[in-house]
Amino acid sequence: MTKRQFRLGMMALALTGIAACQPVVPDSGAGVGFGDYSEYQRQREAQLAGRASAVPAAPMVTSQPLDGTGTANAADPASDAEALAAEASAAIARAGSNSGQQPLDASPSNPAPVAVNQMGISQENDFDAVGEQRSIASDRALIEENRANYTQVQPEALPARSNTGPNIVAYALQTSHAVGQQQYRRTNFGGASRYERNCAGYPSPDLAQTDFLKAGGPERDRKGLDPDGDGYACSWDPRPFRKAAGG
């Protein structure tokens, strides 16, 4: 065998393999699967009238092969769309009565879920529930019982204020000069260091002013709480009291 004959034999073998791999083209002339169009029209009208379950679905020849034979059976797409639309409508109707407590299963074989009351809402707004538990007579008896147990507390006279020391509110209203305006003489013994050290021992300027008045202020300042002599100890300010009294 010559090289030319060998090459021709190999080309013939390759062409044979390629031809064997070509898929079989289905016959598109088969239409929708019926030999008679009137038979197809009759079954189609039966499906639209709601009798699709009584009429067997006819096979439909597709144009694309699925298993290598060139044909495949499939249901009517229009019928499937109508069936899905009917199931969706039924599911929407059932969802209207769903309580939301459990997921909704839209299967046509499942019964509609039972609506339940929302938890946490008082039954005082439910006339039927209140009517089962109470009546006009029971409400009247309850009102009478509450009236019998009602007690009115009479006001009593306020106790007299005891003398607890100087009143900084009264002192603020008695004065009229501004903060820092000197009114009394001071020796300033110890200076600013004594003032800061002694004032730091009070929780608030109000308590420092009370102690200052109790110890002889504002004329005398034994602890050095008022080095500028304005009569106000440790940054105490009478203006908030004056403003409150003036409305």
Side-chain angles (χ1 to χ4, degrees):
M1 178 182 294
T2 63
K3 292 183 177 181
R4 181 179 179 81
Q5 292 176 345
F6 177 76
R7 290 177 179 176
L8 292 175
M10 293 298 293
M11 292 176 63
L13 182 61
L15 292 174
T16 303
I18 293 173
C21 296
Q22 291 294 329
V24 179
V25 179
D27 184 10
S28 60
V32 295
F34 296 100
D36 186 2
Y37 183 76
S38 62
E39 178 66 18
Y40 165 77
Q41 187 68 18
R42 184 186 66 82
Q43 295 189 17
R44 178 63 175 163
E45 292 177 356
Q47 292 178 355
L48 294 178
R51 294 183 285 111
S53 60
V55 181
M60 177 179 176
V61 179
T62 61
S63 61
Q64 297 295 333
L66 300 180
D67 54 2
T69 62
T71 61
N73 295 332
D76 188 357
S79 300
D80 291 343
E82 293 174 0
L84 291 176
E87 292 183 4
S89 299
I92 293 174
R94 290 193 301 272
S97 60
N98 184 29
S99 64
Q101 301 298 326
Q102 296 180 355
L104 177 65
D105 190 353
S107 175
S109 61
N110 292 337
V114 179
V116 296
N117 292 334
Q118 186 73 18
M119 296 182 62
I121 298 178
S122 174
Q123 292 187 350
E124 290 293 333
N125 296 327
D126 189 345
F127 182 80
D128 295 334
V130 174
E132 293 177 357
Q133 300 175 3
R134 294 161 53 181
S135 64
I136 297 178
S138 63
D139 287 347
R140 184 183 298 109
L142 180 61
I143 294 174
E144 295 297 334
E145 182 180 357
N146 290 336
R147 288 177 177 174
N149 295 331
Y150 177 77
T151 302
Q152 184 176 3
V153 178
Q154 298 297 330
E156 299 178 356
L158 294 176
R161 181 185 296 272
S162 59
N163 187 12
T164 58
N167 189 332
I168 59 175
V169 177
Y171 178 76
L173 299 180
Q174 291 172 359
T175 59
S176 59
H177 61 278
V179 175
Q181 183 179 355
Q182 185 176 2
Q183 301 291 319
Y184 309 97
R185 295 181 56 184
R186 298 288 185 252
T187 58
N188 291 329
F189 179 77
S193 60
R194 183 188 179 198
Y195 166 79
E196 294 177 357
R197 181 176 63 255
N198 291 340
C199 286
Y202 295 97
S204 66
D206 288 346
L207 294 178
Q209 181 69 18
T210 301
D211 194 25
F212 169 68
L213 296 176
K214 186 185 299 184
E219 291 81 4
R220 290 178 295 178
D221 183 19
R222 297 177 180 178
K223 296 183 178 181
L225 304 179
D226 180 28
D228 57 359
D230 60 356
Y232 310 137
C234 299
S235 303
W236 183 76
D237 192 348
R239 288 175 293 183
F241 302 98
R242 297 171 183 171
K243 185 176 181 180

